[in-house]
C-alpha cells in the first residue's frame, strides 16, 4: 500500500513532506519520536487500555497496517511492525479479528500470534520476588 509506505517514511524521517502544500526545505525531517505511542495514547477508545508497561513496548512500534479479511474468517487483521527492542525478537506482531457471520461489528474470535519474549521481559507477566526467610535456630528441648 503506497500510502502506508509513504506515511511510514514520513514518520520515520526518511522522506520529506515537500509533496504537500507545506513549506519545507525538501530534506527529510527528523523522525517523529514515538509516533504510534502518542497516537494510541491520545485516542479516547484506546488510551484507557494502555498501561505504563505497554508504553515501554509501544515506544518501539514503527508501523501499523490493517487488512480486510473475507471468506470464512471475515473480519480484519492488524499487523504491528516493531524496531529492534529489548522485549521480544518478533519484527511483526499480528492480531486477527474474526467477526460473527451475521454481524458487521461483533467479534466471534480473536487470534493473536505467538510473541517470542526475551527472558524476563514479558510485560504481560508480573514478576513476584519471594523472600526466603532465614532458618531460626532449633529450640533446645527442655
Amino acid at each position: 500500500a503506497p500510502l502506508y509506505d509513504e506515511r511510514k517514511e514520513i514518520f520515520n524521517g526518511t522522506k520529506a513532506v515537500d509533496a504537500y502544500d507545506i513549506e519545507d526545505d525538501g530534506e527529510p525531517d527528523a523522525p517523529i519520536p514515538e509516533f504510534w505511542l502518542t497516537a494510541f495514547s491520545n485516542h479516547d477508545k484506546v488510551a484507557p487500555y494502555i498501561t505504563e508497561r505497554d508504553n515501554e513496548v509501544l515506544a518501539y512500534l514503527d508501523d501499523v497496517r490493517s487488512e480486510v479479511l473475507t471468506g470464512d474468517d471475515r473480519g480484519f487483521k492488524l499487523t504491528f511492525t516493531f524496531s529492534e527492542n529489548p522485549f521480544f525478537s518478533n519484527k511483526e506482531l499480528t492480531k486477527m479479528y474474526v467477526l460473527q457471520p451475521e454481524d458487521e461489528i461483533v467479534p466471534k474470535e480473536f487470534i493473536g500470534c505467538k510473541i517470542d519474549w526475551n527472558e524476563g521481559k514479558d510485560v504481560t507477566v508480573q514478576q513476584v520476588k519471594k523472600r526466603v526467610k532465614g532458618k531460626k535456630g532449633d529450640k533446645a528441648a527442655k
Side-chain angles (χ1 to χ4, degrees):
L3 180 62
Y4 292 142
D5 293 336
E6 186 175 15
R7 175 187 68 187
K8 182 180 177 187
E9 290 172 350
I10 291 170
F11 294 162
N12 290 335
T14 57
K15 181 178 178 70
V17 293
D18 60 294
Y20 305 94
D21 291 333
I22 300 172
E23 269 192 55
D24 193 55
D25 59 9
E27 293 295 317
D29 297 306
I32 300 171
E34 301 177 352
F35 172 82
W36 287 106
L37 171 59
T38 303
F40 289 150
S41 296
N42 286 309
H43 190 282
D44 64 334
K45 302 290 187 215
V46 177
Y49 298 101
I50 298 175
T51 67
E52 209 168 298
R53 295 175 81 192
D54 295 329
N55 287 343
E56 296 175 47
V57 176
L58 290 173
Y60 293 92
L61 182 58
D62 284 337
D63 199 20
V64 178
R65 304 275 176 121
S66 65
E67 178 184 340
V68 175
L69 304 174
T70 58
D72 292 338
D73 288 338
R74 189 181 64 78
F76 61 96
K77 177 171 93 169
L78 297 177
T79 301
F80 302 87
T81 305
F82 289 84
S83 56
E84 189 173 322
N85 65 79
F87 300 98
F88 47 80
S89 60
N90 308 64
K91 176 77 175 153
E92 291 185 342
L93 301 179
T94 60
K95 183 115 181 198
M96 279 182 28
Y97 298 80
V98 180
L99 302 177
Q100 296 285 349
E102 64 281 346
D103 201 311
E104 291 294 316
I105 59 169
V106 177
K108 171 177 79 171
E109 183 178 16
F110 302 103
I111 304 168
C113 68
K114 178 184 180 296
I115 301 175
D116 299 320
W117 293 102
N118 293 332
E119 189 174 335
K121 294 294 187 173
D122 185 342
V123 298
T124 67
V125 175
Q126 187 171 5
Q127 293 185 4
V128 179
K129 293 182 180 180
K130 291 184 179 179
R131 285 194 284 169
V132 178
K133 293 182 179 180
K135 282 187 173 181
K136 293 184 178 178
D138 291 329
K139 293 183 179 178
K142 292 186 179 185

